[in-house]
Amino acid sequence: MTPTLPITRRTVPWQSGQTSSGSSWKPWKCSNRCPQSWHLYRYVGMLTFLASGVCPYRIVSPYVPFAHRKGSAVIVTASNLHKAYGSTVAVSDLSFAVRPGQVTGFLGPNGSGKSTTLRLMLGLDHGGGQTLWDGKPLAAHKHAPRVVGAHLDAKFFHPSRTATAHLQMLAAAGRVPRSRVDEVVSLMGLESVATKRPKGFSLGMGQRLGLATAILAEPAVLLLDEPANGLDPQSIHWLRDYLKYYAAQGRAVLVSSHLLSEMEVMADHLVVIARGQLLADEPKAAFVARSVTNDVLVRSARVRDLAGVIAAELGPGSVRPEPPDGIAVTGASTEQVGDIAFRHGLPVWELSKRTASLEQAFLELTDAGQEFTMGGSR
Amino acid sequence: MTDLLTYEWRRARSIRTTWITSGFLVAAVAAFCYLTVLALESADEQGLPLTDIVQQSITVNPVVLVLLASLGAMAFGHEYRYGTIRLTLTAFPRRPGVFAAKLVMTMAIALAVMIVSVLVGMAIAAVAGAQQSGSGISWVTLAWQVSVFAATYAGLAFTLTVITRNHPIGIVGPLLLTLLESAVIAILGERFEWLPRALPLTAMQNWFAGVDVGLSVAVLAAWMGGLLVASFVLLQRRDA
């Protein structure tokens, strides 16, 4: 049976101060949540702990849960990113910021350069420009996994290394205690496959393992490339809630996705690119509000007359026909349109405001920048 | 660096291939030692000393060569093959550290497996009736020659894997290089007398045989150093 991601926040262990197995922290374990094995050392370390108040494990391996880190909010600034493959420019002079406390959606058509941008930001690809993480390049941070957790592909694992071993290997990078590995396995609903080799994992299970990898060290920034691909609807719902929760803790989340319906409810801010160039970098509400689909629909028995008087008052470009008996008016409120009709004594059957969806706004903006289209040339 | 070495150790020990390859390598040396003793007995020849049997079982055994190369190619080969290099370089953005840790861990594993192989090979050969004493190579000679041999072949596989980003080439590359050297020497060796001494694996053999030791060491070191520098530069400059 396919395990399912937990869907309630009750299961987020660090909210309740419980381990995944439900046991409370012992006072002598300090707030650092040291691994069980470490406490073989406690007979020696306890004296240090009592004398200085500092856990000896913390001196040797200073892993601190995000909630206990000081100055943990990290702003990511990508400046003038550029990447070309021969004569093909994949990313061109791209600059934007990913701010803490919000989910930033990273949108663009296929081949627009989203994945390349993420790789450039992480230093995996070489190109122009630079990305600063809290004012410093990623390589200048002592423990990069605590700064950024990235999930770029659901198949980035060795097929014969068990899921737990995969996470324990990566835990070494951030000096993450073993207990945190167990937490993440539990959080992602991977308990039943934790000791299995992932060569038979479905795309969805691979995504869960990738997400577990990304959040393992509780990084200040999450970079996720199409994280919802292959997840079942329940898991997508959980992921959306989790990422919003994650950002609400003061962390920054950058999510690249094609699922615009998900972005509509998840993202606070949008960065939109096409052909490697920045098209928009603004709050989601402002992005949607710019759409020409934000209009007022008016239906009338004398629609031609109505169109004439509205065009005369608001300008000819503000009216377009909506067959069979309506017009769409842009750049005016329902009240303005209603007043115009009333002043000219024209009957109105329907007067309604239509708000664009993120999808409509996205399609309008990226239509010209679509490099690869389906259904032939338009 | 401690984190990187821990990471590398966990990476290596958490895949079955490491253990299977190591096990086969030890078994191959043991089997070759046993078969050598049996062959000498059946030929009614005077037996070789124990150290010579073990040295021959390792340095002229193509199975050992391939398995050793396989151990050397794993560090980067699996990473490129399964895309985990991107996880590694995200977790450790400083690539020189990653290169150094992988090289150190590869050498440590290769040497550890060689030590076990030598001990098991000697035990098997002794049980099979090999001479315990004689005018063979000394224990010290055996130790450093096996170490150099292991480091050379694992290092060749390591660097070829980084340069080509291809795991299979990393494994068969050292064997192909051995064959290529033999072919080059056979074709051009008489015309260009200096050529055999300028080739890396022949230089290693000359070093082991005590021929032109200084030059042989320099040639081998130059080849290995060049390959290490080339692979390091390519790792630094190329996209992950």
Side-chain angles (χ1 to χ4, degrees), chain A residues 83 85 119 122-126 138-145 150 155-161 165-166 168-173 175 197 199 213, chain B residues 2-4 6-8 10-17 78-79 82-95 235-240:
Chain A
K83 177 72 178 174
Y85 298 100
R119 290 198 302 271
L122 292 167
L124 297 173
D125 282 8
H126 295 299
L138 188 58
H141 288 271
K142 192 176 178 187
H143 294 290
K155 294 291 178 190
F156 284 170
F157 49 73
H158 191 288
S160 72
R161 180 181 290 122
H166 175 80
Q168 282 172 351
M169 177 185 81
L170 287 154
R175 296 195 180 179
R197 293 186 179 84
K199 58 185 169 188
T213 303
Chain B
T2 312
D3 293 347
L4 264 164
T6 308
Y7 180 89
E8 269 307 300
R10 288 184 187 178
R11 182 200 59 74
R13 76 168 190 204
S14 59
I15 45 175
R16 281 189 304 181
T17 320
H78 286 155
E79 297 260 43
Y82 301 112
T84 51
I85 188 71
R86 287 180 177 167
L87 296 180
T88 302
L89 293 180
T90 302
F92 300 101
R94 289 182 286 272
R95 296 187 186 191
L235 177 71
Q236 277 284 94
R237 292 194 173 180
R238 286 197 296 211
D239 294 341

Side-chain angles (χ1 to χ4, degrees), chain B residues 2-171:
Chain B
T2 312
D3 293 347
L4 264 164
L5 289 172
T6 308
Y7 180 89
E8 269 307 300
W9 170 237
R10 288 184 187 178
R11 182 200 59 74
R13 76 168 190 204
S14 59
I15 45 175
R16 281 189 304 181
T17 320
T18 306
W19 300 103
I20 291 171
T21 308
S22 302
F24 272 121
L25 210 159
V26 173
V29 173
F32 215 78
C33 285
Y34 183 70
L35 291 173
T36 305
V37 174
L38 283 190
L40 291 171
E41 275 182 4
S42 62
D44 210 17
E45 290 181 11
Q46 190 180 2
L48 280 171
L50 193 61
T51 49
D52 281 28
I53 289 174
V54 174
Q55 194 248 20
Q56 297 280 310
S57 300
I58 291 172
T59 58
V60 296
N61 185 346
V63 179
V64 169
L65 197 155
V66 171
L67 291 171
L68 203 50
S70 181
L71 280 178
M74 271 178 211
F76 274 105
H78 286 155
E79 297 260 43
Y80 282 120
R81 189 171 175 186
Y82 301 112
T84 51
I85 188 71
R86 287 180 177 167
L87 296 180
T88 302
L89 293 180
T90 302
F92 300 101
R94 289 182 286 272
R95 296 187 186 191
V98 172
F99 185 86
K102 282 186 179 292
L103 186 62
V104 167
M105 193 52 65
T106 298
M107 291 301 158
I109 290 172
L111 289 176
V113 174
M114 273 293 113
I115 289 168
V116 175
S117 299
V118 167
L119 295 175
V120 171
M122 284 196 301
I124 294 285
V127 169
Q131 289 180 18
Q132 302 287 325
S133 60
S135 58
I137 60 171
S138 68
W139 295 101
V140 176
T141 307
L142 175 69
W144 76 255
Q145 285 190 356
V146 165
S147 301
V148 169
F149 176 83
T152 300
Y153 274 100
L156 273 175
F158 180 91
T159 54
L160 288 175
T161 307
V162 181
I163 290 167
T164 62
R165 295 206 279 195
N166 186 304
H167 193 193
I169 288 180
I171 295 171

